[in-house]
Every structure is written in C-alpha cells, then in structure tokens.
Amino acid sequence: MRDGGKLRGLARIFRLARELRDEGYDLVLDFHSFRETHLLTWYTGARWRLGLKRVQSPYWPFCFNLGPVLEDDALHVSAVFLSILAFLGIAPVSNGHLLDLSPELKQEADSFLNRHPVEAGALRIGFNLGAGSQSRTWPPERFAELAERIIQRHKAVVIAFSGPNEELLSSEFCRRVRSTRVIPAPNLALPQLAALFNRCHVLVSNDTGPMHLGAAVGVPTLGLFSVARPNHYHPLGASSRHVSCASIEQLDTETVYQHFLQILASLPT
C-alpha cells in the first residue's frame, strides 16, 4: 500500500493471503506481530499458530492458538526472535558466525571490485545510503562529507550501496563526492549484496535490513539510528557500534566519523 497505491496494495495483500492459505501450512510463526501479520497468520488456517506479543503493539489473541511469546524489551531483537523457537523446544545452534557465503559468491564480489580502480590492500568502506523511510535516512550530503574525510585521511575506497527506488540518494551522493575512489553498487540482489558487504572492512549504514545483513557476514558495522530503539536493534558483532540522535537530520558528520574511527582502531592490523 505504501509503494504502489492503496487499491493495488490491497489487491496484492488479498492475493498473498490466498496463496498462503492454499499452501496448507501446519505451523505459522508471526515474528513481526503487527495487526496485518496477525490477520495473515489467522487466515492461513494453519493447525498451529504462534506469535510474539510486543511491548508497544496490539496483540489479537483470536489469531493464535499457541503462546503468546512475550517480548523482553531489554533483549536484542534477535534474542527475542529466538525466544519464539525456544517456546517450541528448538535450541539455536551457533558455529561462531551467522551467515556462510559460497566461494562462487565471493568470487563474484571480487570480480565486481576488480572492474574498478581498487588497489590491493586499500581500505574498503561500505555506505548503505537508503533506509526505506525518510525518518531513518541520513542525508546524502552528510554521507558525502563522511566519504570525503575517509577518502582523504585514510586513502580508502567507498562502496556506495543503494536499493530499488533509491536512485536519487545515490546520484546526489555521487554528485557531491565526485571521486574515482567511490564505487556505486545499486540494486544488488541479496546474495550479491551480502558477498560485497563481506569484502568491506567497515560498513556504515542507516537503520535498515541491510545493516543487519552486513553484521551477519562479519563486517564491523556502524548503525545510524533515530526513531528506533538502538539497544533493541543495534548491529551485532564485537566490533560493531551504533550512534543515535532524536532526529536523523541532527546527526552530525563529526560524531559519525569519531565512531567510525573507534571501529577502525578495533580492526586487526
């Protein structure tokens, strides 16, 4: 409904609901716990339906016949999601990292970088420019200021990631920096995005899904927060950090740069 008009959005929602019901699922887990996902869960007609009861969102019990799992606001959101599995008696298994990448994906990322003037050993910094909503999007001119500092002071290469409908952010950023050490990386599929994140030494990202994808492939990540709860949604990883401000427009470049330096100092030499 947000992306393509209300009538078209409603039609797509009803089509999705019908497809889910036709699949005949035995178990449905609602990790989002919005009213819309409550109704989708109920409409599937699944034999077992389990949902999360959030602290700050309504919960419709008629949509579920298991639980609810109560949200612990003191935990990171990933631990909250895992608690849903714990309710079912499923223990998470950890092998020390979160996401494996195939050799083919890594080679594809290397081939992408080799098509650009990136000297061996150069510091590679990823910028995730978009966020899906303006209230979470650090202005492109601030990203440009940060890029100029990093390029000049650290001789780094900046890889500028942007997704669908974020062409204006990317073009404005590139227009302001105008450096051969900036590599645009628009509209990558998720596997390719993860692989190229994996080739970055640091990722600076708005509070959005790709921020967590970067952390999941082991990249020290600096998350930029405004409206969300950073203690609940911050990027994971021992070297990752986050910075928050009441309004994303009020977050100044110097503050972000100082947090970036702290991450940089923590990297192995």
Side-chain angles (χ1 to χ4, degrees):
M1 293 176 70
R2 180 193 64 190
D3 297 335
K6 291 185 177 180
L7 290 178
R8 183 181 177 187
L10 284 172
R12 294 175 66 185
I13 289 172
F14 281 116
R15 184 165 62 250
L16 171 63
R18 185 173 61 252
E19 290 173 356
L20 292 174
R21 190 178 182 91
D22 289 345
E23 287 291 338
Y25 289 108
D26 295 304
L27 171 66
V28 172
L29 308 177
D30 182 3
F31 290 93
H32 289 291
S33 202
F34 301 136
R35 284 171 292 189
E36 297 88 344
T37 56
H38 284 1
L39 290 173
L40 280 174
T41 300
W42 166 77
Y43 189 72
T44 63
R47 181 178 178 183
W48 297 288
R49 303 182 301 277
L50 174 63
L52 180 69
K53 187 174 183 180
R54 292 189 179 274
V55 174
Q56 299 179 353
S57 298
Y59 179 80
W60 290 351
F62 75 88
C63 296
F64 306 95
N65 53 14
L66 294 175
V69 175
L70 302 180
E71 179 184 35
D72 185 343
D73 206 29
L75 298 178
H76 190 272
V77 67
S78 61
V80 173
F81 288 166
L82 288 173
S83 69
I84 294 181
L85 302 182
F87 181 90
L88 299 171
I90 301 172
V93 176
S94 175
N95 57 0
H97 54 275
L98 298 176
L99 185 63
D100 284 318
L101 296 170
S102 69
E104 292 78 14
L105 276 175
K106 293 179 180 180
Q107 184 177 5
E108 190 175 341
D110 291 336
S111 298
F112 176 90
L113 293 174
N114 290 336
R115 294 195 295 269
H116 298 84
V118 179
E119 64 269 27
L123 191 66
R124 297 183 296 273
I125 309 300
F127 281 6
N128 185 52
L129 301 175
S133 68
Q134 188 173 355
S135 62
R136 298 176 186 231
T137 303
W138 203 39
E141 58 268 24
R142 302 279 176 80
F143 268 116
E145 292 172 2
L146 182 64
E148 289 176 344
R149 290 195 192 191
I150 292 174
I151 291 171
Q152 292 171 7
R153 300 180 188 181
H154 305 279
K155 304 300 180 184
V157 172
V158 172
I159 306 172
F161 298 95
S162 58
N165 304 317
E166 294 174 352
E167 293 84 0
L168 290 178
L169 289 175
S170 180
S171 61
E172 178 66 13
F173 171 80
C174 293
R175 183 185 70 81
R176 288 177 175 270
V177 181
R178 291 193 176 183
S179 171
T180 58
R181 302 185 74 85
V182 170
I183 301 175
N187 296 326
L188 296 176
L190 286 177
Q192 285 69 35
L193 183 64
L196 204 50
F197 278 166
N198 180 255
R199 290 302 187 246
C200 295
H201 294 96
V202 180
L203 174 65
V204 182
S205 175
N206 292 307
D207 168 29
T208 186
M211 176 188 73
H212 298 290
L213 184 60
V217 295
V219 181
T221 300
L222 175 57
L224 311 179
F225 284 81
S226 55
V227 295
R229 295 168 287 166
N231 65 311
H232 201 52
Y233 295 104
H234 64 81
L236 296 174
S239 297
S240 294
R241 301 182 64 86
H242 64 273
V243 57
S244 62
C245 201
S247 170
I248 198 68
E249 289 82 7
Q250 296 174 5
L251 187 57
D252 63 277
T253 306
E254 178 62 23
T255 298
V256 176
Y257 180 64
Q258 291 302 319
H259 280 77
F260 166 80
L261 289 180
Q262 293 179 36
I263 292 181
L264 208 58
S266 70
L267 298 181
T269 55

